[in-house]
């Protein structure tokens, strides 16, 4: 029997951490601190609200909608404590997207931050299976906070099984079709015993900060579960910008930061304006970390980036490396607890140095909710993540592309991210995505979408043409010339999921010129 909520609450409080700060946050007016004892009490009161007022029973699915703040965290833990299934959703989702999730997971109840409830009410009209919404971060009559006031501060966790589902996390959909991934109580604890222990080597004195939403398992683990599992402190902040994250690192004396490569890149020019003396470890995941970003970050901060790849299907990071074990250009090795290998087209282990499909197994794995795509993801016990990787003789894994992002042009294999990495080194370029577009002569051609640091550079067509040819020459000078983008389009922004991944499928539907 196992209820994972206990492992973040009473178990930790009983280990001598009751008066330690569990969660810090800030509202517009005040800063907020909850000790482990206070967090336990709040979670228990919310648990009573879920059982006594919402009349939910173990196994019921509860949609959670909120930004990264203490009440959102407490609601997730309370849902687990009462044996229900948490379905956290990205704060920016619109009614139609929410309704797809509600229908797919047959969700009858929601806990929603008051600031975000309007869109959920629209979704409820589209999906009447959702019968009740209780708002938090509100003092109104009927709000979670108001109902909590009369509730006891103790609650005995429902005696769930280690293999009861407690979390359904929806993939953010780089392909546009979200899938629900189901995770057990034991999975939630397993991720806390893998990456944070062996790679991050987090300590109870650590203060965790960062940007990924709690609705994304990267954020749920990195910003809430990993700190709480060891009695450390989680700083939960909403609407962070590169500048406010740097400022908050100094203000909260954060030691561990989780964010995506794009965010680290955007912070770089501002790093000299901050002390960052407290910062010891920076974790990058969610998208591939270009070597240039890793090197620039190290030059600016002196910190060796901890790169990692995870997947919503696997719950958290399964390949990574830290400190002296990290290598520029490699994501890392299989995180202890996981095994990883590269498979060829036939499903056999590919030789060292050959690109193939990444396959992973370990304590967590893919269980899609009612989705035929399960059979494509899990093969002979291996999870096929959809990433093309190469393993070197030392067991380091080198990212090449998403398997569906390999471009085959005139018989050559081109990995889009390799070309992106070169283009990103051009001084005029801020962001870039490379895709293959159908071409009669070559099968596919390489096309780059580029966001410039200064968009005014291409306001006149002649300047634009000159810059296209300059970037093309730049790529040819740095990699095999057949990889150069025959077509370059300047854009104001790249289409991204809420978790920061580029939605290449949207770019692939454009034309070549
Ligand atoms: O996208 C990733 O690399 C990732 C990392 C950690 C946890 C979850 C995900 C999807």
């Amino acid at each position: 029997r196992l209820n994972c909520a206990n492992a973040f609450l009473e178990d930790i409080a009983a280990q001598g951490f009751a008066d330690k700060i569990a969660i810090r946050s800030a509202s517009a007016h005040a800063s907020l601190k909850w000790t482990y004892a206070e967090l336990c009490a709040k979670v228990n009161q919310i648990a009573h609200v879920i059982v006594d007022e919402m009349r939910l029973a173990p196994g019921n699915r509860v949609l959670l909608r909120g930004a990264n703040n203490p009440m959102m965290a407490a609601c997730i833990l309370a849902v687990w404590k009462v044996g229900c299934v948490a379905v956290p959703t990205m704060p920016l989702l619109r009614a139609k997207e929410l309704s797809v999730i509600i229908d797919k997971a047959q969700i009858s109840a929601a806990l929603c931050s008051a600031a975000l409830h309007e869109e959920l009410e629209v979704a409820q009209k589209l999906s009447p299976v959702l019968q009740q919404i209780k708002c938090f971060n509100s003092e109104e009559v009927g709000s979670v906070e108001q109902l909590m006031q009369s509730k006891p501060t103790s609650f005995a966790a429902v005696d769930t099984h280690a293999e009861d589902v407690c979390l359904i996390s929806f993939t953010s959909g780089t392909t546009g079709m979200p899938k629900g991934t189901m995770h057990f109580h034991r999975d939630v604890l397993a991720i806390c015993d893998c990456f944070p222990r062996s790679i991050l080597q987090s300590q109870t004195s650590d203060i965790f900060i960062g940007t990924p939403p709690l609705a994304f398992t990267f954020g749920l683990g990195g910003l809430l579960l990993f700190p709480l599992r060891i009695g450390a402190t989680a700083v939960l902040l909403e609407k962070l910008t590169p500048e406010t994250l740097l400022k908050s690192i100094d203000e909260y004396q954060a030691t561990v930061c989780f964010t995506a490569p794009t965010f680290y890149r955007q912070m770089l020019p501002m790093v000299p304006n901050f002390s960052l003396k407290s910062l010891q470890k920076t974790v990058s995941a969610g998208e591939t970390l270009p070597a240039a970003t890793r090197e620039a970050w190290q030059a600016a901060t002196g910190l060796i980036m901890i790169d990692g790849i995870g997947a919503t299907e696997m719950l958290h990071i399964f390949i990574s490396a830290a400190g002296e074990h990290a290598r520029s250009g490699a994501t890392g090795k299989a995180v202890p607890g996981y095994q990883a290998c590269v498979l060829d087209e036939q499903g056999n282990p590919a030789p060292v140095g050959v690109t193939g499909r990444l396959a992973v197994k370990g304590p967590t794995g893919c269980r899609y909710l009612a989705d035929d795509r399960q059979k494509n993801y899990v093969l002979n016990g291996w999870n096929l993540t959809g990433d093309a990787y190469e393993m070197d003789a030392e067991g380091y894994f080198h990212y090449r592309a998403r398997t569906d992002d390999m471009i085959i042009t005139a018989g050559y294999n081109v990995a889009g991210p390799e070309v992106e990495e070169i283009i990103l080194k051009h001084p005029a370029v801020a962001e870039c995505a490379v895709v293959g577009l159908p071409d009669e002569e070559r099968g596919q051609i390489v096309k780059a979408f580029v966001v410039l640091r200064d968009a005014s550079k291409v306001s006149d067509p002649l300047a634009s043409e000159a810059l296209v040819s300059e970037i093309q020459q730049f790529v040819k000078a740095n990699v095999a010339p057949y990889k150069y983008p025959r077509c370059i389009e300047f854009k104001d922004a790249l289409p991204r999921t809420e978790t920061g991944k580029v939605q290449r499928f949207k770019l692939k539907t454009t034309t070549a010129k």
Side-chain angles (χ1 to χ4, degrees), residues 419-437:
V419 183
E420 285 166 13
E421 187 148 324
I422 307 293
I423 296 177
L424 277 171
K425 288 189 177 144
H426 188 285
V429 174
E431 297 295 325
C432 164
V434 168
V435 300
L437 294 188

Side-chain angles (χ1 to χ4, degrees), residues 27-340:
S27 70
H29 322 286
S31 84
L32 178 151
K33 290 179 186 169
W34 284 353
T35 63
Y36 276 88
E38 285 166 332
L39 174 63
C40 287
K42 304 251 180 223
V43 168
N44 291 341
Q45 289 177 309
I46 300 170
H48 282 289
V49 172
I50 296 173
V51 174
D52 309 342
E53 308 291 333
M54 299 176 78
R55 316 297 297 172
L56 297 184
N60 286 166
R61 294 164 182 172
V62 183
L63 184 143
L64 290 134
R65 177 167 167 81
N68 287 7
N69 58 58
M71 274 302 282
M72 173 73 175
C75 285
I76 295 173
L77 294 165
V79 167
W80 289 343
K81 200 145 192 194
V82 301
C84 288
V85 180
V87 189
T89 56
M90 294 291 188
L92 287 183
L93 290 191
R94 305 305 304 266
K96 184 75 202 71
E97 297 157 308
L98 288 164
S99 107
V100 169
I101 292 174
I102 294 164
D103 290 343
K104 182 134 198 188
Q106 286 294 291
I107 300 173
S108 63
L111 291 166
C112 178
S113 158
L116 299 174
H117 87 283
E118 272 171 31
E119 202 67 25
L120 189 57
E121 279 175 6
V122 180
Q124 191 177 24
K125 294 207 171 75
L126 301 171
S127 299
V129 62
L130 179 62
Q131 284 163 18
Q132 50 174 334
I133 304 173
K134 280 262 172 283
C135 284
F136 57 85
N137 289 336
S138 159
E139 295 304 330
E140 285 194 2
V141 176
S143 67
V144 175
E145 280 87 343
Q146 191 255 330
L147 295 169
M148 282 165 72
Q149 280 169 19
S150 61
K151 302 295 178 201
T153 55
S154 59
F155 183 97
V158 167
D159 184 25
T160 43
H161 192 281
E163 295 193 350
D164 281 344
V165 173
C166 67
L167 175 70
I168 302 179
S169 188
F170 275 80
T171 61
S172 47
T174 47
T175 58
M177 289 182 292
K179 290 166 272 188
T181 65
M182 299 187 289
H183 302 284
F184 297 155
H185 282 266
R186 70 162 162 80
D187 299 333
V188 169
L189 296 194
I191 58 164
C192 300
D193 285 340
C194 291
F195 172 79
R197 273 210 202 181
S198 52
I199 307 292
L200 188 61
Q201 301 194 353
S202 39
Q203 316 284 324
T204 56
S205 54
D206 273 325
I207 298 172
F208 289 64
I209 203 167
T211 60
L214 295 179
F216 177 24
T217 60
F218 180 37
L220 181 65
L223 299 182
L224 184 68
L225 307 181
F226 298 169
L228 295 192
R229 183 73 181 101
I230 54 165
T233 300
V235 178
L236 294 177
L237 298 171
E238 303 181 18
K239 298 194 181 123
L240 284 168
T241 64
E243 191 174 9
T244 58
L245 176 55
L246 288 163
K247 189 164 170 270
S248 305
I249 290 171
D250 280 350
E251 184 181 337
Y252 292 93
Q253 293 291 288
T255 58
V256 180
C257 176
F258 280 72
T259 189
T262 314
F263 218 86
Y264 283 114
R265 235 179 352 259
Q266 290 167 346
M267 288 198 282
L268 272 169
M270 291 170 251
V271 163
N273 306 337
F274 297 90
S275 142
L276 307 184
K277 268 216 306 267
S278 59
L279 195 59
Q280 293 165 17
K281 289 162 192 172
T282 49
V283 180
S284 168
E287 57 180 306
T288 173
L289 174 68
T293 308
R294 175 194 279 285
E295 284 150 26
W297 183 254
Q298 190 169 342
T301 63
L303 297 170
I304 300 175
M305 190 76 89
I306 304 177
D307 189 13
I309 176 172
T312 304
E313 288 82 351
M314 302 300 296
L315 203 48
H316 221 272
I317 293 174
F318 48 81
I319 290 178
S320 183
E324 67 195 53
H325 303 292
R327 299 265 194 287
S328 200
T331 312
K333 294 184 175 184
V335 168
Y338 287 89
Q339 300 169 56

